[in-house]
Amino acid sequence: MPHEVNLIATIAVGFGLAMVLGLIADRLRMPPLVGYLLAGVVIGPGTPGFVADVGLAGQLAEIGVMLLMFGVGLHFSIKDLLAVKRIAVPGAVVQIATATAMGAAVAAWWGWSLGAAVVFGLCLSVASTVVLLRALEARGLLLSVNGQIAVGWLVVEDLVMVLVLVLLPALAGVLASAGGGAAAGLPGPELWQTVGLTLAKVTAFILLMLVVGRRVLPKLLWWVARTGSQELFTLSVVASAVGVAFGAAKLFDVSFALGAFFAGMMM
């Protein structure tokens, strides 16, 4: 009998509660996702009773996001995203800027520092990819025109957030000294090097997926499908989704979700 059962306990209790609360939410004519979220709250550290391993639960959640975004990517192509770029790109940029400014203004009114206010505004400016996609999928709108615009909008938000997460540490000194007039925090060549490196990584990832991924991944699945093994085919799909997402995050510093989404599109 093994002594370490944290992973098994987290999966067993989490899945069991998600099933029960998901059924209750459906009976109450609410999306099952509400029940899933409540299940996470129940087994979290903020409520009494069983507490799941937060680290393991977070990694399991990331795997779920990868598979969801991979599945969404299977229904889209580059042409679909380019078709809505005139709405998704400026719309996402304006929405992020507006929401960030409004959130920062409210936080500044509360007495927060400039850096904290900007971070608070940025947190409010992005939508939850998982929640929005699940809602669109449940209503059958994922492949509609509005659904394609929403997915394109989310892709732009993810790309912007990749840049923001890289720039925040570099701009921390500027934000901290903005109120005091200190010159030590002014951005220097290092900031522009960071920006350039981040843009180069994102561009390299997209080009790699467009040039290599769209040729290699479909052929790989075709070779596996010719074996006639359904289990091997399923394993190959999961391995492709998780493997590309992990490689994208480690090598190119993009999110797991974005990496899995592009892997699905290349299929």
Side-chain angles (χ1 to χ4, degrees), residues 21-204:
L21 296 179
L23 287 173
I24 294 175
D26 183 70
R27 289 288 184 178
L28 296 176
R29 297 184 179 181
M30 294 187 295
L33 183 61
V34 176
Y36 305 157
L37 293 174
L38 290 177
V41 174
V42 170
I43 65 175
T47 55
F50 175 80
V51 177
D53 189 310
V54 178
L56 289 176
Q59 294 184 48
L60 292 173
E62 289 285 4
I63 294 176
V65 171
M66 293 178 201
L67 297 179
L68 173 65
M69 293 299 295
F70 180 80
V72 172
L74 288 174
H75 298 288
F76 284 85
S77 66
I78 295 297
K79 292 182 179 179
D80 295 329
L81 293 180
L82 293 179
V84 298
K85 64 180 180 180
R86 293 185 178 181
I87 300 176
V89 174
V93 172
V94 171
Q95 177 250 315
I96 291 173
T98 304
T100 301
M102 294 176 64
V106 172
W109 181 62
W110 290 341
W112 292 18
S113 65
L114 177 61
V118 170
V119 172
F120 178 73
L122 288 170
C123 291
L124 296 179
S125 67
V126 292
S128 173
T129 302
V130 177
V131 174
L132 181 55
L133 291 180
R134 287 294 298 161
L136 291 173
E137 192 176 34
R139 294 177 178 271
L141 300 175
L142 190 58
L143 299 181
S144 65
V145 175
N146 291 334
Q148 292 180 355
I149 292 174
V151 172
W153 199 298
L154 290 172
V155 170
V156 175
E157 283 190 350
D158 282 344
L159 291 174
V160 171
M161 284 304 110
V162 169
L163 186 61
V164 167
L165 290 175
V166 173
L167 291 180
L168 275 179
L171 292 174
V174 179
L175 296 175
S177 61
L186 292 177
E190 296 81 7
L191 175 62
W192 303 113
Q193 291 176 4
T194 302
V195 174
L197 181 60
T198 302
L199 293 177
K201 286 183 177 181
V202 173
T203 303

